[in-house]
Amino acid sequence: MDQIIIFGIFMIVFTSLIVILNDRLSALSFLGLNLTIVALLYTESDLISAAIKAILGFFPPAIIVVATRRIKLARPAVGKAVAFIGIAVTVALSYAVAYAIRGVFPEDRLLESYFLIILFGMSILIIVSQTSIFKFLLGVLVLENIGTLILSWGYNSTVLTLIEEVFVVLIALTFAVIALLDFKEYATIDEKELTRLRG
Amino acid sequence: MPYALLAMIFTPIIFSVPILLVGRLTNSKALGYFSSIVALVTLGLASLFIVFYSGLISVTVSSITLSPYDIPLFTFTLDPLTLLFSFVVSFMGFITIWYSNSYMQNEGGQGRYYFLMLLFVGGMLMLVGAANVLILYAGWEIVGICSFLLVGFWFEEATRNEAAKKVFFFTHMPGEVLLLFAVGTYAWTGSGSIHNLLTSSLPEWQTSVLIIFALVAMFSKSAQFPFFSWLPSAMQGPTPVSALLHSATMVNAGVYLAARLFPLLGGNWQWVLAIVGGFTLILAATAAIRSNDLKEVLAYSTISNLGYMFLAFSFGPIGLVAGLMQFLAHAFFKCCLFLGAGAVDHAANTMDLNQLGGLSKRMPYTAASFTIAALALAGVPPLCGFVGKWLIYTSGISPSIAGLQIFVILVLIGSVLSAGYILRAAHSVFYGQLQEDLKGAHEAPRTMVTAQAILAAGCVLVGVFAQYPISLIMQVPGAGMVTTQSTVILTNIEIAGVASFAPTLAAALLLLAIAAGVLLNEYTTRRPHTAVSPSRELFGSGDKLPQGYEYSSGKHFLYEVTQPFERLKVLNPDSIYADLGRDAELASKRLRAAHNGNVIRYAIWIFIWMIIAGVVFLAFGGL
């Protein structure tokens, strides 16, 4: 139980860093989140899934880092102070929602379910508080990690984990290409700017 | 064995991907050869099961437990029904892909074509091998999407595009109710297992709701009334696609679902199947009589034969055997007929029955195969179509619930019409005097001829040795008992639960119907394949008569008696389709402002709806 709490806190910290930091450093935070999940899978003796996650989970942040070296980063939609308040409110609100619906959680996965709801809330925060397409991608990838954790509750789910991770790499690649093309054409990856420039 | 089952289902799906990727780089014939090998391996695996099948095989690849549900994500099973369908799907898949090596050799986009064909086969195998409703639904959708893309293969042409859209709409939209069926099954049985659904004792209203969902899905997929108008449009795709779509995949998905859910379809549901199937078989047969395009005749004939199958299922356990035997027979003769039509198109560059004629002099092998398949469709013994129809008559004479005997009249009329339209088509294309324009026509390439010959041989072998498929079909849950030494000798047949006179009466009625169809057709029509066609000159382009029917002395009987059914053909949702298309266009213009390209805004909307859905879900106490 303590282990779950520690891993859960790590997850919240890493997702909070994604909200606060710029795209490049957020990608590294996301790598931290992935490694936390690898460790969690390892402790649950789901060794193959952990290995798949460790190998393929490295690629999305790497793709983002490589792509962001070629473009000017977008500015966050909100300031740091607002971001901190947003994180605190999101965690509190998510916890409250999780508490309210705890009746539907699997009995043997109660604690994990709380953290998943908080992660879900954080992914929403990541997406709505930013203007960069990469932050949008990271928000989606946090959602994907929720899927990985739910899959680890089943049995014989290794094939699905593999399929999911392969698709995550493809999604990250697609986003990177879109960002590069957008930057080439409009000299920005800021979604608000892009909407205005595209007319 | 479980791994062999997975290999059979996933071999075409997995190998379709490299074909697509390589197809981006090259348009080589090697793509077709490689696809043929993949299809042959799939067929080999299906054949292994036929030979070594000794009992139910189940395999769960992946499962997830979300209390209180245990959701088997990838669960497959192999029982006699799956065995029958998977063999037919893989066999027809191989034959059509092999045939395509010649038929499509000069076309572009071969990678896309073979990718879709293999995925089509794989999707259908997934559908028939599914042990739970979610996988069934996944297979259903894969088959639907592949058919859309294959019908619209030559998407540069607007008419083909429109046809593909129509196919997609008519099969996909009503098919969405299958998703409701899947959700309902999970909600009310606590699992998605089809086996649990069939054995659980749900309240009657819940069973009824599930059956209604399933019926809408199967009628739309199998082009039953009123969802039949899309199937003739599907002819816009390449001919091998039509052959596969009609014989083994797509339209047979509904038949499979009906056979799978057969234990639930008793009582009043038998009347629903009988009315829809019976009406469809007559309506489509009359349309085939009145059509003048070879592929269109075959398309309406498919609808009519699917009607036979649904009608057969309504007759009870023997009807299930009859319907599945008809499915098997239909697969062989229809695939052969379509491949023959493709060969004719290849040689003559037209499908118009008026412009064809006498081609047997130039295409003797194609003519022979086509004729055998046409005779099988008409129900001539000892070919495969005879066995299917004869069992339908037998089960109809002694149905499991009283009153359904009345539908034997429709079967009888259908037999007259089917003998009429298919023999007219065969005669118009291959016999009579060779048309002047066709003097340069030549036999199809060896690959295409061989594919047709194999199928024609299949029509004979399945008919003569029908006891083997029948013994397999009898093991399908709910099926009746039919024992036979050989269908050539009708006296060596025992059928449990039918009146003792039924088999003999059935054979007599069927033979009479065929004779009536042939005679009515022969003696009321003068073939248009005379060197000069006086009536065509007489009536010119504005004639009131359909071109394929030229009067001799008086009126063409079959054409005239089917006239009233022409009006019934408008009883389909085509106008709804047109209205919806117009409304969607209007709505899209108004909603365009909301689509400003800001993906983050889109994501916010998605989250809002997810939260609303979650609240609704919880408010109703979950599933």
Side-chain angles (χ1 to χ4, degrees):
Chain A
M1 189 172 171
D2 292 344
Q3 214 171 33
I4 302 291
I5 293 173
I6 291 167
F7 283 128
I9 290 171
F10 266 110
M11 288 182 206
I12 294 170
V13 169
F14 282 126
T15 46
S16 302
L17 287 173
I18 294 173
V19 176
I20 297 163
L21 300 173
N22 68 26
D23 291 359
R24 202 168 299 146
L25 294 174
S26 297
L28 297 177
S29 303
F30 181 71
L31 184 61
L33 177 66
N34 272 351
L35 291 175
T36 309
I37 291 169
V38 169
L40 183 62
L41 294 174
Y42 184 75
T43 57
E44 294 224 339
S45 303
D46 194 352
L47 299 182
I48 300 174
S49 295
I52 291 168
K53 186 81 184 165
I55 296 165
L56 294 176
F58 170 78
F59 286 100
I63 289 166
I64 296 173
V65 169
V66 171
T68 52
R69 289 172 73 89
R70 296 162 177 263
I71 54 182
K72 186 181 146 204
L73 299 179
R75 290 178 57 193
V78 292
K80 283 212 166 44
V82 177
F84 276 114
I85 295 167
I87 291 165
V89 170
T90 304
V91 172
L93 204 61
S94 303
Y95 180 81
V97 170
Y99 184 78
I101 61 169
R102 65 190 181 285
V104 298
F105 294 159
E107 284 173 14
D108 52 339
R109 300 280 182 181
L110 211 57
L111 202 54
E112 288 98 318
S113 301
Y114 272 90
F115 281 112
L116 288 192
I117 297 289
I118 296 172
L119 272 186
F120 182 72
M122 291 301 290
S123 70
I124 297 178
L125 180 68
I126 292 167
I127 290 173
V128 302
S129 66
Q130 310 292 332
T131 57
S132 160
I133 194 169
F134 285 119
K135 284 292 177 72
F136 177 75
L137 169 63
L138 288 169
V140 172
L141 296 187
V142 172
L143 284 176
E144 176 270 326
N145 276 336
I146 295 173
T148 306
L149 288 170
I150 293 175
L151 280 180
S152 72
W153 298 354
Y155 51 93
N156 296 330
S157 55
T158 314
V159 177
L160 285 183
T161 305
L162 177 65
I163 293 169
E164 186 197 6
E165 292 300 330
V166 168
F167 273 97
V168 163
V169 174
L170 293 174
I171 290 167
L173 263 176
T174 310
F175 269 76
V177 171
I178 290 170
L180 289 170
L181 291 175
D182 275 346
F183 189 76
K184 193 177 168 190
E185 192 166 353
Y186 300 107
T188 180
I189 56 163
D190 184 315
E191 273 297 314
K192 279 187 183 162
E193 279 291 297
L194 283 171
T195 308
R196 190 180 59 78
L197 291 168
R198 285 181 191 131
Chain B
M1 287 294 260
Y3 291 107
L5 172 61
L6 292 178
M8 182 185 75
I9 294 169
F10 286 103
T11 295
I13 295 175
I14 290 169
F15 283 99
S16 67
V17 177
I19 287 170
L20 179 68
L21 296 175
V22 176
R24 305 283 294 179
L25 307 172
T26 173
N27 201 41
S28 164
K29 282 182 188 175
L31 292 166
Y33 298 140
F34 182 67
S35 303
S36 302
I37 292 168
V38 173
L40 185 62
V41 170
T42 310
L43 172 61
L45 289 165
S47 306
L48 274 180
F49 284 120
I50 292 273
V51 177
F52 295 110
Y53 181 75
S54 58
L56 191 75
I57 298 169
S58 281
V59 54
T60 298
V61 182
S62 180
S63 184
I64 187 165
T65 305
L66 287 175
S67 180
Y69 302 110
D70 183 21
I71 303 174
L73 291 174
F74 279 103
T75 309
F76 299 96
T77 189
L78 188 86
D79 66 355
L81 186 63
T82 304
L83 203 56
L84 174 73
F85 273 80
S86 53
F87 177 75
V88 170
V89 170
S90 52
F91 188 86
M92 300 306 158
F94 167 65
I95 290 284
T96 49
I97 288 173
W98 185 34
Y99 177 94
S100 301
N101 285 324
S102 279
Y103 189 86
M104 300 293 286
Q105 63 180 337
N106 297 322
E107 299 291 338
Q110 300 224 5
R112 181 164 52 93
Y113 175 79
Y114 288 111
F115 160 72
L116 289 170
M117 287 290 272
L118 285 175
L119 197 60
F120 204 13
V121 171
M124 192 67 191
L125 289 172
M126 183 186 278
L127 192 158
V128 300
N132 78 73
V133 286
L134 274 184
I135 297 297
L136 178 88
Y137 176 71
W140 191 275
E141 288 297 315
I142 291 174
V143 166
I145 291 167
C146 286
S147 63
F148 161 66
L149 294 171
L150 282 167
V151 169
F153 181 73
W154 289 305
F155 58 85
E156 296 87 354
E157 296 174 41
T159 50
R160 296 182 195 273
N161 245 341
E162 287 304 315
K165 279 192 275 184
K166 188 173 178 183
V167 169
F168 184 76
F169 178 84
F170 276 99
T171 60
H172 183 76
M173 297 305 282
E176 283 306 310
V177 291
L178 191 72
L179 186 58
L180 294 176
F181 168 81
V183 172
T185 304
Y186 266 103
W188 291 329
T189 65
S191 84
S193 161
I194 296 171
H195 176 74
N196 285 357
L197 172 66
L198 297 178
T199 53
S200 64
S201 49
L202 293 175
E204 199 176 329
W205 73 270
Q206 289 181 351
T207 310
S208 299
V209 169
L210 291 179
I211 290 174
I212 289 168
F213 288 153
L215 285 176
V216 173
M218 62 179 80
F219 288 157
S220 62
K221 205 72 157 184
S222 289
Q224 294 299 285
F225 182 82
F227 305 107
F228 61 91
S229 64
W230 65 269
L231 195 53
S233 303
M235 294 299 99
Q236 295 289 340
T239 300
V241 171
S242 304
L244 186 59
L245 189 144
H246 284 250
S247 64
T249 58
M250 189 66 176
V251 293
N252 294 296
V255 176
Y256 167 78
L257 189 60
R260 177 59 76 199
L261 300 181
F262 182 78
L264 297 178
L265 298 172
N268 289 335
W269 299 112
Q270 287 177 256
W271 283 96
V272 175
L273 288 176
I275 291 166
V276 173
F279 187 65
T280 306
L281 99 82
I282 297 296
L283 190 65
T286 56
I289 278 283
R290 302 171 64 78
S291 174
N292 214 28
D293 180 278
L294 180 58
K295 272 181 88 173
E296 196 174 83
V297 171
L298 297 180
Y300 279 120
S301 138
T302 298
I303 301 173
S304 181
N305 274 280
L306 292 165
Y308 269 118
M309 294 173 211
F310 282 104
L311 180 55
F313 291 160
S314 77
F315 292 146
I318 302 298
L320 179 62
V321 179
L324 290 175
M325 192 61 212
Q326 180 69 7
F327 155 74
L328 179 66
H330 179 254
F332 274 95
F333 63 66
K334 190 49 61 69
C335 196
C336 186
L337 290 170
F338 266 110
L339 297 190
V344 169
D345 189 30
H346 207 254
N349 213 20
T350 180
M351 295 275 190
D352 188 337
L353 294 182
N354 270 334
Q355 294 176 25
L356 295 165
L359 275 176
S360 63
K361 296 175 181 68
R362 292 286 183 272
M363 308 174 74
Y365 300 114
T366 297
S369 301
F370 193 96
T371 306
I372 291 171
L375 292 172
L377 190 154
V380 173
L383 303 172
C384 57
F386 166 74
V387 186
K389 278 189 178 170
W390 169 72
L391 281 169
I392 292 173
Y393 274 91
T394 308
S395 57
I397 292 166
S398 271
S400 63
I401 58 173
L404 285 173
Q405 288 92 337
I406 192 82
F407 287 92
V408 175
I409 297 170
L410 296 186
V411 180
L412 197 65
I413 297 169
S415 299
V416 175
L417 294 174
S418 59
Y421 67 69
I422 198 61
L423 295 178
R424 175 178 77 94
H427 191 282
S428 301
V429 175
F430 291 107
Y431 303 102
Q433 194 171 335
L434 184 66
Q435 295 282 58
E436 196 61 36
D437 300 344
L438 303 177
K439 291 264 164 76
H442 53 83
E443 182 59 278
R446 193 179 300 166
T447 313
M448 290 165 70
V449 170
T450 314
Q452 295 168 65
I454 290 171
L455 290 165
C459 290
V460 179
L461 294 174
V462 171
V464 173
F465 300 107
Q467 63 268 33
Y468 298 113
I470 286 176
S471 64
L472 174 70
I473 291 169
M474 278 194 314
Q475 297 171 51
V476 172
M481 295 291 290
V482 179
T483 53
T484 167
Q485 297 299 314
S486 164
T487 50
V488 179
I489 310 162
L490 289 174
T491 50
N492 279 353
I493 293 166
E494 289 176 30
I495 302 178
V498 301
S500 56
F501 62 86
T504 314
L505 180 61
L509 286 175
L510 175 55
L511 294 174
L512 270 176
I514 296 167
V518 173
L519 293 174
L520 285 172
N521 195 53
E522 192 62 30
Y523 290 103
T524 58
T525 316
R526 184 173 61 200
R527 305 293 170 191
H529 312 310
T530 49
V532 181
S533 178
S535 59
R536 200 179 297 168
E537 284 183 0
L538 178 66
F539 291 105
S541 58
D543 65 31
K544 292 180 192 169
L545 307 174
Q547 285 184 318
Y549 293 91
E550 303 194 18
Y551 290 89
S552 50
S553 55
K555 293 180 176 180
H556 183 282
F557 180 77
L558 288 178
Y559 182 80
E560 288 301 321
V561 294
T562 54
Q563 179 82 33
F565 285 91
E566 191 67 19
R567 290 180 189 158
L568 291 176
K569 270 173 67 184
V570 300
L571 295 176
N572 61 50
D574 275 15
S575 57
I576 299 172
Y577 170 66
D579 289 347
L580 278 177
R582 203 167 36 246
D583 293 345
E585 205 171 333
L586 273 175
S588 73
K589 278 178 187 162
R590 288 179 188 165
L591 288 171
R592 198 164 290 166
H595 289 262
N596 59 3
N598 189 333
V599 286
I600 291 171
R601 191 171 292 178
Y602 297 165
I604 292 169
W605 277 110
I606 292 169
F607 281 125
I608 289 170
W609 284 109
M610 277 171 75
I611 290 165
I612 290 172
V615 169
V616 171
F617 180 80
L618 292 170
F620 286 96
L623 286 172

